[in-house]
Amino acid sequence: MSFIEAKNLVHEYFRRDEDDNVVDVLTAVDNVDLHVEAGQFISILGHNGSGKSTLAKHLNVLLTPSSGSLFIDGKDASDEKNTLKIRQNAGMVFQNPDNQIIASVVEEDVAFGPENIGVPTDEIWERVEKSLKAVGMWDYREHSPNKLSGGQKQRVAIAGVMAMEPKCIVLDEPTAMLDPDGRKEVLDAVHELNKKKGVTIILITHYMEEVVGSDYVFVMDKGSVVMQGTPREIFSDVETLKAHRLDVPQITELAYELKKSGVDLPDGILTRQELLEALRYLDEN
Ligand code: ADP
Ligand code: MG
């Protein structure tokens, strides 16, 4: 069994009138199949309203499936006995760093999570140190989180989740409120955690550029998974991406336009380096 296994997962939101009669049903997650192996770096990409956050909430058992099944680390998410265990194993990082800060000193903020789940005191401080070092925020341990930049706050939030030593971290648009430098800091920190600590990552984003380093990408639209594959496979299909209201990375777009106008380039170019190499190859041959 995969680390995360969703089968025909459906989530419906009901709108009711004053008498509690259902007046409207919105299928926010529509028959989603999802397989994620332990240690993978997965991205979920989709335009606003495509159902990403609803799916993320299922991964943290903040919602229960309307139908279908979800297993995380072999545990059935619809069985209440498993809720706590799954939540401990799948940490969540949200969009707005300001809503995730609890303490007035960085290291205390990071300690809050492990404290809450009953980790012994000595071990808490070991974990705080490890986590803050892993996201490059150790030097700021005695600072006030309020004075940090958005990217730094988000890295503290990630350290806080990491200190609970989850097997998996779900990040729901963690960079949406950050400037380009902050976005890069956060993405680099998340990739480090994945590579060095083997933490399974589910990165939810609507920025195409951010999925480039992933092992596998799921594209959602109107609640369904509409495309899936490696970043290169996904970015090879510029037309379909655009049909789902997504913009491809600038370099991929440029390569795609060049190809359309007759330049013999491979599909799915992801980086500037790859484009330069492909052009140089053409020039030399
Ligand atoms: P995304 O994160 O991709 O923007 P969401 O999962 O937030 O998508 O939303 C998917 C759909 O479900 C949208 O149409 C949204 O309006 C609707 N929705 C989200 N949360 C609720 C809710 N609590 N009650 C009713 N409808 C909701
Ligand atoms: Mg969302």
Side-chain angles (χ1 to χ4, degrees):
M1 194 181 240
S2 304
F3 181 70
I4 296 174
E5 238 177 67
K7 219 169 157 41
N8 300 326
L9 186 70
V10 173
H11 189 88
E12 292 168 334
Y13 289 113
F14 292 98
R15 204 157 57 85
R16 294 170 194 271
D17 63 15
E18 306 86 63
D19 303 325
D20 218 26
N21 299 312
V22 174
V23 288
D24 196 19
V25 181
L26 186 132
T27 309
V29 172
D30 193 358
N31 267 298
V32 165
D33 286 341
L34 201 70
H35 296 266
V36 176
E37 303 303 330
Q40 275 190 316
F41 192 117
I42 300 293
S43 295
I44 299 178
L45 192 62
H47 198 263
N48 278 342
S50 57
K52 305 180 301 295
S53 292
T54 304
L55 180 63
K57 284 175 191 154
H58 278 278
L59 299 179
N60 208 237
V61 213
L62 297 169
L63 295 172
T64 29
S66 304
S67 65
S69 66
L70 174 65
F71 283 80
I72 298 172
D73 202 14
K75 293 179 186 67
D76 186 349
S78 58
D79 184 345
E80 276 178 31
K81 285 203 302 289
N82 295 326
T83 305
L84 259 178
K85 192 78 198 152
I86 294 176
R87 285 204 190 133
Q88 280 178 21
N89 267 328
M92 281 280 270
V93 175
F94 298 95
Q95 196 175 89
N96 189 342
D98 291 322
N99 298 342
Q100 300 174 70
I101 288 168
I102 298 152
S104 56
V105 180
V106 164
E107 58 185 359
E108 281 168 16
D109 196 75
V110 176
F112 185 82
E115 224 158 26
N116 229 10
I117 57 171
V119 175
T121 310
D122 297 353
E123 202 189 323
I124 291 176
W125 295 105
E126 267 170 43
R127 289 190 187 194
V128 168
E129 181 173 345
K130 258 200 311 203
S131 308
L132 280 173
K133 283 182 174 165
V135 298
M137 288 299 290
W138 177 241
D139 291 345
Y140 292 84
R141 63 190 173 278
E142 286 167 3
H143 287 227
S144 157
N146 296 318
K147 299 217 175 90
L148 302 177
S149 71
Q152 289 172 329
K153 282 181 196 169
Q154 220 33 335
R155 283 189 283 152
V156 170
I158 293 168
V161 169
M162 217 194 126
M164 294 193 272
E165 300 191 342
K167 292 183 185 166
C168 170
I169 302 183
V170 181
L171 302 105
D172 190 1
E173 305 212 28
T175 62
M177 307 188 74
L178 308 182
D179 61 16
D181 286 344
R183 285 169 55 189
K184 186 171 182 314
E185 281 169 25
V186 167
L187 271 190
D188 287 350
V190 177
H191 276 286
E192 281 276 305
L193 286 188
N194 175 253
K195 281 208 195 78
K196 297 217 171 121
K197 319 267 170 193
V199 182
T200 308
I201 302 290
I202 314 283
L203 174 71
I204 295 172
T205 180
H206 65 261
Y207 293 118
M208 290 290 229
E209 271 86 353
E210 297 192 344
V211 318
V212 169
S214 314
D215 295 316
Y216 204 75
V217 184
F218 293 92
V219 181
M220 289 184 75
D221 197 9
K222 300 192 185 80
S224 304
V225 172
V226 290
M227 296 172 86
Q228 57 179 292
T230 61
R232 196 175 304 283
E233 284 164 354
I234 297 291
F235 290 139
S236 293
D237 196 351
V238 174
E239 291 300 320
T240 308
L241 282 169
K242 288 190 168 175
H244 294 297
R245 299 170 291 167
L246 291 163
D247 295 320
V248 298
Q250 274 176 356
I251 288 293
T252 307
E253 173 95 45
L254 176 59
Y256 172 75
E257 291 299 332
L258 285 170
K259 199 177 150 94
K260 254 200 336 203
S261 63
V263 183
D264 184 19
L265 291 170
D267 278 330
I269 284 186
L270 300 177
T271 63
R272 199 183 131 91
Q273 188 63 25
E274 284 174 8
L275 179 58
L276 287 173
E277 272 164 24
L279 289 171
R280 196 173 303 128
Y281 179 82
L282 283 180
D283 190 43
E284 285 166 1
N285 289 274

